[in-house]
Amino acid sequence: MLTLKYQGWFQCRLATDPDPSDEKRGVSGYMKSLPGEPDFDRIIRFHNPVVERSHTPKVGVTVTKVYLKNEYIDDHFLLGAKVNLENNPKFYGFNGIVADDGIEPIVPFDLSISIPNIQLSRSLEDKSPEFPFNDYKPRNGILIGGNDVVENTGIWDIRYTLSERIEKLNADLSSTTDDIEKYNISERIKFLKSPVATRFFQARMNWFLVLRGNINSKGKTPEIDMNSPWVNSFWMGGWDPDAQNGYVSGILQIPMK
Amino acid sequence: MINTREELINALTEAAELEHNLLIQYLFSSFTLKTELKEGLTPLQQAKNLEWKGIILSVAREEMGHLGLVCNLLSAIGSAPRFGRPNLPQSEKKYYPFEAPFTLTKFSRKSLYRFLIFELPIGENPPEDSCKVDQRELMIELFSAPDPLIYNKVGDLYNQIKEGFNKIPEKELFIGPKNAQDLDDWSVRLNLQNVNDRKTAIKAIDDIIIDGEGTAADREGSHFNSFKNIWEELCLIDYDPTRNVVENPFTRSHRDSSDEINVNLITNKDTLKVSEIFNTIYSSTLLMLMQYYSYGGETEAQRNLLRSSLGQIMSGVIRPLGELLTKLPISDNENDGFAAPSFEIYSDLRLSPFKENRWLILNETFNNVINEIKSIEHLDQRFLEIKNKMIWLNQNLQPSN
């Protein structure tokens, strides 16, 4: 069994309740797309964020550890590989019609691991996902607390982190002359001082997905068993609405030949 | 003077209609704001428009909460909820004794002024306007000599209702079952409270008055102040914030509408269909509210399903459909202007006395709506999501769920 541990910040820019799920800018919910930023699209991005707000964590999800059987391999070629969700995955809540906030399925679920010239990818299933998307949903609802989020993000005190961000933004505000930038920084500072800025940081959603779709491989991939399912167990949490980022940490188990 | 149960029920029924009619006027106006850069807004103008829209929507949401609270008050004294209302427009001092008409108009200083008159604190004069445009016209229209009306402000009506609750002996009055009321477990805070005696009734009414007017010492956050602030800000802008939406864009004439106010009938076939779809979904939503509040045999699980579906349909279907209508032409000539949600009620709302039939009728109506949406899906990509939401909602809304 090849076990890949992956981690990193992802981006998801989405309108929140009571805005319609396809609201593009954010009107009534706490999430807003600021002037000059693109419209919301709900896409979960493990790489290539469409906006990078200043003084926020960098987006990128990579393989951080590799184990073969139970042995840690510190020079495995997949260390540092990009982990990605392909084909514009979204949290399928649709205003609670499919699922309430925090327990939304990720649809589609097409996972890939890649380094230059090598890519391995697999979908949850080969058929098109169908309502009510139960196989794509997280298990056990939203979990609050525990050490997972703080230990993995390295943010032990989110309030302190955000107060440092506010200080930096205040410094930026005093030096900028651009009207849009001034507006955006002021709005961000106002938001960061509100309770909702930290409310969801310690919450996480847990998935346990068994990937049974066809395996696609490019380049010289490991000698994997092409018939057995992959088990992908991960959580998403550490939600930082100012950054429009959250943290993902997971384990992907791939049976070998 | 309210001093019998019957009078109190009548007054609360009027209050329910009033809240309902206010909130649809506010929703209509908020939907007409431009929100996209391609409509000629700069990024900062877009942000300002979205902020105004958010404020008006938040007032409308509080009015929904007030409607829920009024239904609780009705239930507490042994009566039924009220979700019906006459179709708009209604001219001033006729159906309702307000000094301003109830009519569906786009976002403008004039509309905002009308809204703040609705919410004007008792004893307070209308705000003076330093803005040079339109003021004379506004004053003439809205401040002709007052008639000897029963009430002419929202707060006025509630004060009389409060007097009624104080006058009628408490032991006689509260005959409603204690558990037939709506509590505040919607997905957004609606400040709903259980009403079971004079103290809780007065508290509920005071909260409604404070939401509307604020207090003499603090108007901040009140509906009146929210509208007044936007009204004042509108004096300072140098762009047109609103889509070219016509007044009262209706699918047909209604016998219960006032014929003294202009109604624009929609003639564009696609727009007409979208507007009819909107009105059907809106009426079904009202029926679902009646079903939810009627305590007519639904199980707790079915009531939970109704409540969650109602929140979902309001945010996920009614709002996007309403917004879409403001981009659709009223006639085949775009210069004639655009439509907007008319919130028409085509016939009296009646809830079947048979529980099974309520669900059947709802599912059947939604199936028809889904088929109708399929025929206009090509008009805008948002319709695809609306269609999917309706299909999934209808699958959720099975009485066995």
Side-chain angles (χ1 to χ4, degrees):
Chain A
M1 179 77 74
L2 176 69
T3 302
L4 307 177
K5 179 171 183 183
Y6 59 90
Q7 288 178 295
W9 292 94
F10 66 91
Q11 179 172 80
C12 187
R13 304 180 63 253
L14 76 178
T16 45
D17 196 44
D19 276 330
S21 49
D22 64 350
E23 163 59 42
K24 289 178 176 160
R25 307 297 304 178
V27 177
S28 302
Y30 67 85
M31 291 290 285
K32 313 270 186 219
S33 187
L34 294 171
E37 292 181 347
D39 288 343
F40 286 154
D41 58 14
R42 300 187 76 84
I43 294 172
I44 301 164
R45 292 184 169 88
F46 280 11
H47 299 277
N48 307 321
V50 290
V51 172
E52 288 181 271
R53 289 189 178 172
S54 55
H55 316 300
T56 59
K58 298 284 170 231
V59 168
V61 181
T62 55
V63 173
T64 53
K65 284 181 179 162
V66 178
Y67 296 85
L68 206 47
K69 296 177 184 162
N70 280 329
E71 192 183 342
Y72 173 54
I73 312 292
D74 63 0
D75 59 351
H76 196 279
F77 69 98
L78 286 178
L79 269 172
K82 267 186 175 180
V83 176
N84 202 18
L85 293 179
E86 308 285 349
N87 303 319
N88 299 333
K90 295 176 183 176
F91 289 118
Y92 263 35
F94 292 103
N95 292 106
I97 294 169
V98 172
D100 284 329
D101 289 351
I103 50 172
E104 301 109 316
I106 295 173
V107 181
F109 196 92
D110 303 333
L111 186 72
S112 76
I113 305 109
S114 62
I115 57 172
N117 304 319
I118 295 177
Q119 187 181 47
L120 256 180
S121 60
R122 192 169 200 181
S123 303
L124 188 74
E125 54 187 350
D126 286 329
K127 61 176 186 168
S128 292
E130 283 177 10
F131 180 81
F133 311 103
N134 283 337
D135 292 341
Y136 295 74
K137 285 180 179 168
R139 305 270 175 105
N140 305 322
I142 304 171
L143 301 170
I144 311 274
N147 57 350
D148 283 344
V149 174
V150 291
E151 241 172 24
N152 284 281
T153 59
I155 298 173
W156 295 83
D157 183 347
I158 183 64
R159 284 187 178 78
Y160 178 73
T161 300
L162 297 192
S163 69
E164 279 191 318
R165 195 182 296 169
I166 291 171
E167 266 182 44
K168 288 173 188 164
L169 287 170
N170 273 321
D172 294 346
L173 188 61
S174 58
S175 63
T176 186
T177 54
D178 182 80
D179 282 346
I180 293 179
E181 206 178 332
K182 266 188 197 168
Y183 176 89
N184 289 356
I185 294 172
S186 302
E187 287 299 301
R188 285 184 61 198
I189 292 171
K190 198 160 64 179
F191 178 80
L192 284 165
K193 289 178 177 173
S194 70
V196 75
T198 55
R199 185 172 297 155
F200 307 108
F201 184 74
Q202 289 247 33
R204 64 197 190 288
M205 305 151 75
N206 282 301
W207 278 263
F208 183 84
L209 302 180
V210 180
L211 279 58
R212 298 178 193 276
N214 278 331
I215 298 172
N216 295 306
S217 63
K218 285 182 201 159
K220 193 173 164 42
T221 55
E223 296 273 303
I224 59 176
D225 174 354
M226 299 298 278
N227 298 314
S228 300
W230 298 356
V231 174
N232 186 22
S233 168
F234 64 99
W235 58 260
M236 295 174 108
W239 182 236
D240 178 345
D242 169 57
Q244 305 177 325
N245 292 352
Y247 200 83
V248 58
S249 177
I251 289 165
L252 176 66
Q253 293 181 299
I254 304 176
M256 302 295 285
K257 272 188 183 161
Chain B
M1 190 86 76
I2 298 170
N3 45 28
T4 65
R5 183 192 313 279
E6 187 188 3
E7 284 165 348
L8 194 51
I9 288 171
N10 290 344
L12 284 166
T13 301
E14 178 125 347
E17 280 188 20
L18 198 63
E19 298 290 1
H20 193 165
N21 268 321
L22 289 177
L23 82 87
I24 62 169
Q25 290 177 85
Y26 300 163
L27 287 175
F28 183 100
S29 167
S30 75
F31 291 162
T32 66
L33 274 157
K34 293 175 183 167
T35 56
E36 297 176 29
L37 296 178
K38 66 182 180 197
E39 295 179 284
L41 300 173
T42 66
L44 287 175
Q45 288 167 349
Q46 181 189 38
K48 181 45 89 181
N49 276 20
L50 292 166
E51 182 192 327
W52 286 332
K53 182 172 178 174
I55 291 168
I56 300 173
L57 286 175
S58 130
V59 172
R61 252 193 321 280
E62 285 194 354
E63 300 294 9
M64 287 179 212
H66 294 172
L67 181 53
L69 257 182
V70 171
C71 289
N72 278 357
L73 286 160
L74 279 163
S75 174
I77 61 171
S79 187
R82 170 68 174 164
F83 290 103
R85 59 169 186 81
N87 278 298
L88 296 189
Q90 296 293 337
S91 54
E92 60 269 39
K93 300 185 212 167
K94 284 230 164 147
Y95 197 97
Y96 298 111
F98 278 79
E99 292 176 50
F102 276 33
T103 179
L104 299 170
T105 53
K106 67 181 181 180
F107 178 90
S108 67
R109 291 200 89 233
K110 203 167 165 178
S111 299
L112 264 295
Y113 197 75
R114 207 173 78 241
F115 299 165
L116 70 85
I117 291 295
F118 292 149
E119 308 277 0
L120 187 68
I122 295 162
E124 194 155 305
N125 289 322
E128 286 195 12
D129 192 3
S130 55
C131 197
K132 53 192 176 297
V133 292
D134 284 349
Q135 173 62 3
R136 188 157 298 178
E137 184 194 347
L138 284 172
M139 300 307 281
I140 291 165
E141 185 170 325
L142 299 175
F143 297 103
S144 47
D147 284 348
L149 300 166
I150 303 167
Y151 68 92
N152 59 12
K153 309 278 183 304
V154 179
D156 247 359
L157 174 63
Y158 281 111
N159 275 327
Q160 291 184 44
I161 291 171
K162 198 159 100 174
E163 272 179 42
F165 272 105
N166 274 323
K167 262 186 206 148
I168 303 169
E170 194 175 8
K171 279 188 182 165
E172 289 171 24
L173 186 58
F174 292 92
I175 58 170
K178 285 191 170 56
N179 58 355
Q181 292 189 31
D182 191 22
L183 299 178
D184 204 358
D185 41 8
W186 294 75
S187 63
V188 287
R189 293 277 302 150
L190 292 177
N191 197 22
L192 295 171
Q193 302 155 41
N194 202 7
V195 177
N196 45 41
D197 54 19
R198 180 178 287 156
K199 193 178 159 194
T200 48
I202 299 295
K203 164 86 171 55
I205 296 164
D206 282 343
D207 282 356
I208 293 175
I209 295 173
I210 288 171
D211 280 347
E213 302 179 358
T215 61
D218 183 12
R219 305 269 180 234
E220 192 63 36
S222 66
H223 298 179
F224 167 73
N225 216 46
S226 300
F227 290 136
K228 183 165 164 276
N229 288 344
I230 301 175
W231 178 69
E232 285 169 353
E233 282 181 320
L234 270 175
C235 187
L236 306 173
I237 64 167
D238 57 0
Y239 68 96
D240 178 4
T242 319
R243 293 177 183 142
N244 183 23
V245 168
V246 300
E247 186 174 355
N248 298 310
F250 275 46
T251 61
R252 61 195 75 168
S253 301
H254 296 281
R255 278 175 294 194
D256 55 351
S257 295
S258 162
D259 51 12
E260 293 160 21
I261 298 176
N262 188 35
V263 163
N264 289 287
L265 291 179
I266 299 168
T267 55
N268 179 285
K269 279 184 184 163
D270 286 334
T271 310
L272 188 62
K273 188 170 267 187
V274 177
S275 188
E276 285 174 344
I277 290 169
F278 178 91
N279 291 329
T280 304
I281 295 174
Y282 164 64
S283 287
S284 295
T285 305
L286 296 179
L287 281 172
M288 287 166 70
L289 277 163
M290 287 168 72
Q291 191 175 353
Y292 175 70
Y293 275 91
S294 66
Y295 298 85
E298 270 74 15
T299 64
E300 197 53 34
Q302 288 171 335
R303 293 195 70 250
N304 287 339
L305 176 63
L306 282 166
R307 187 185 56 234
S308 57
S309 302
L310 278 161
Q312 292 157 6
I313 207 168
M314 287 183 210
S315 291
V317 178
I318 287 184
R319 184 168 137 194
L321 259 182
E323 291 170 348
L324 275 165
L325 272 164
T326 63
K327 295 180 184 175
L328 297 177
I330 189 163
S331 74
D332 292 338
N333 181 356
E334 282 211 358
N335 294 329
D336 289 344
F338 293 87
S342 50
F343 297 94
E344 289 165 77
I345 299 174
Y346 293 133
S347 75
D348 266 357
L349 298 168
R350 289 178 301 271
L351 193 63
S352 168
F354 308 106
K355 193 176 84 168
E356 295 73 22
N357 291 351
R358 293 174 207 151
W359 295 94
L360 193 84
I361 291 167
L362 186 62
N363 292 141
E364 206 173 79
T365 308
F366 279 6
N367 269 331
N368 292 338
V369 162
I370 290 160
N371 285 330
E372 291 293 318
I373 296 174
K374 283 176 186 167
S375 69
I376 43 98
E377 224 177 309
H378 59 280
L379 295 177
D380 190 294
Q381 60 178 15
R382 286 189 93 181
F383 283 113
L384 174 66
E385 184 158 326
I386 290 170
K387 181 193 72 180
N388 285 337
K389 283 177 175 172
M390 286 302 297
I391 292 171
W392 297 334
L393 255 167
N394 209 23
Q395 289 187 39
N396 288 341
L397 275 168
Q398 300 302 317
S400 55
N401 279 349

